Amino acid sequence: PGKNVLIVYAHQEPKSFNGSLLKIAVEELTKQGCSVTVSDLYAMQFEPRATRNDIVGEPSQNIPLSKKSDFSRGYNCPCLLLEMDDLPVESFPLFWFNMPAILKGWMDRVLVQGFAYDLSKVYDGGLLQDKLSLFSFTTGGSKEKYAIRGDIRYLLWPMQHGIMHFCGVKVLEPHICYAPENVSEEKRKEMLAAWSQRLKTLWKEEPIDCSPEWYFK
Ligand code: FAD
Ligand code: ZN
């Protein structure tokens, strides 16, 4: 209640399963009195490439984009939103054991040095320390297949630890909906209901212990 939530959403199709998860999150969190902002990356035509335009000053200095310089771009700048925000939720379908390129580009361009971290201010000392994050994603593969191939937590190491924890952000348990394309309509409804249910008590959750043991125990 009274929290600011930013949902960084990366799916092209509003009628997708991810689209339904998004709708539920917006409804439930708004109902709780949270202020919810959605960065719908595809709809915004978010530029995922950190191009030369992001470099302030001489290219050779390679100084990354400052928050201020992005405000002038005229779109709903995620940097600004993240700054105000208590909980960024990343919502996406798994692509190649990873997040879609457009979302990776968001990480590349928003979580810049001086804003999200600094040379000596990383991990628990990162600059975004009082924030929480949650990765909500869907897969093509079933839960059983993932259990055979190796724990899905391996995939979360670069995203949760390498990105969020690096910037000081605490990480809540990920929310994974396995294989929504390949399960029954009933099971899909169940997964959506479980998400809605989880969100009701989200603020009571403790962050995970984001250390190698959680991922590779
Ligand atoms: P959708 O196909 O949109 O939805 C599934 C079904 O749910 C649809 O029938 C839809 O109509 C239905 N639905 C939507 N809303 C509701 C509702 N409210 N109630 C009931 N039903 C509803 N998977 C892996 O596991 N590992 C990978 O490495 C991987 N790499 C990929 C790489 C690429 C480039 C691509 C394109 C896919 C990859 N995938 C991978 C598969 C991908 O992760 C899944 O296709 C995706 O997660 C499915 O989510 P979706 O939202 O797109 O589902
Ligand atoms: Zn960590």
Side-chain angles (χ1 to χ4, degrees), residues 8-211:
V8 189
Y9 169 71
H11 200 295
Q12 311 86 336
E13 175 50 59
K15 295 198 188 87
S16 66
F17 195 78
N18 273 274
S20 295
L21 290 167
L22 173 72
K23 225 175 288 159
I24 287 169
V26 172
E27 280 169 16
E28 175 55 34
L29 293 165
T30 304
K31 206 162 73 186
Q32 291 173 17
C34 299
S35 159
V36 183
T37 308
V38 179
S39 282
D40 182 341
L41 300 183
Y42 290 106
M44 289 158 74
Q45 302 201 32
F46 181 76
E47 164 60 275
R49 299 171 305 169
T51 65
R52 193 161 178 267
N53 296 336
D54 283 358
I55 299 168
V56 181
E58 289 298 308
S60 60
Q61 289 178 295
N62 196 24
I63 301 167
L65 170 90
S66 76
K67 280 183 287 169
K68 279 208 177 68
S69 70
D70 215 20
F71 292 163
S72 62
R73 274 164 213 235
Y75 65 72
N76 206 1
C77 174
C79 322
L80 174 66
L81 299 175
L82 189 70
E83 191 175 40
M84 301 185 308
D85 186 72
D86 301 306
L87 174 78
V89 177
E90 347 290 327
S91 176
F92 59 95
L94 194 68
F95 279 9
W96 299 119
F97 276 23
N98 215 314
M99 60 186 105
I102 199 166
L103 180 57
K104 172 59 164 47
W106 185 89
M107 306 279 168
D108 294 350
R109 295 190 59 230
V110 173
L111 300 174
V112 294
Q113 187 178 340
F115 168 62
Y117 67 95
D118 245 324
L119 288 184
S120 58
K121 293 182 178 157
V122 296
Y123 294 109
D124 292 344
L127 298 177
L128 302 177
Q129 274 175 47
D130 33 5
K131 300 181 195 307
L132 286 168
S133 68
L134 192 164
F135 284 79
S136 166
F137 62 99
T138 58
T139 69
S142 65
K143 191 170 187 177
E144 294 72 30
K145 289 234 173 75
Y146 274 100
I148 294 163
R149 290 177 192 144
D151 202 295
I152 199 147
R153 290 182 176 193
Y154 300 161
L155 319 185
L156 290 164
W157 171 252
M159 301 184 225
Q160 294 186 165
H161 177 81
I163 301 175
M164 288 301 154
H165 190 184
F166 186 85
C167 298
V169 180
K170 294 195 180 66
V171 179
L172 295 176
E173 195 73 39
H175 199 88
I176 311 170
C177 293
Y178 288 96
E181 293 147 292
N182 300 319
V183 298
S184 65
E185 180 72 5
E186 193 189 353
K187 181 73 192 161
R188 279 198 287 270
K189 296 284 185 218
E190 245 171 60
M191 290 197 286
L192 293 169
W195 175 227
S196 175
Q197 200 55 41
R198 177 175 178 192
L199 290 166
K200 291 188 202 309
T201 53
L202 191 71
W203 303 104
K204 292 188 184 137
E205 290 185 20
E206 287 293 324
I208 64 163
D209 168 26
C210 185
S211 63

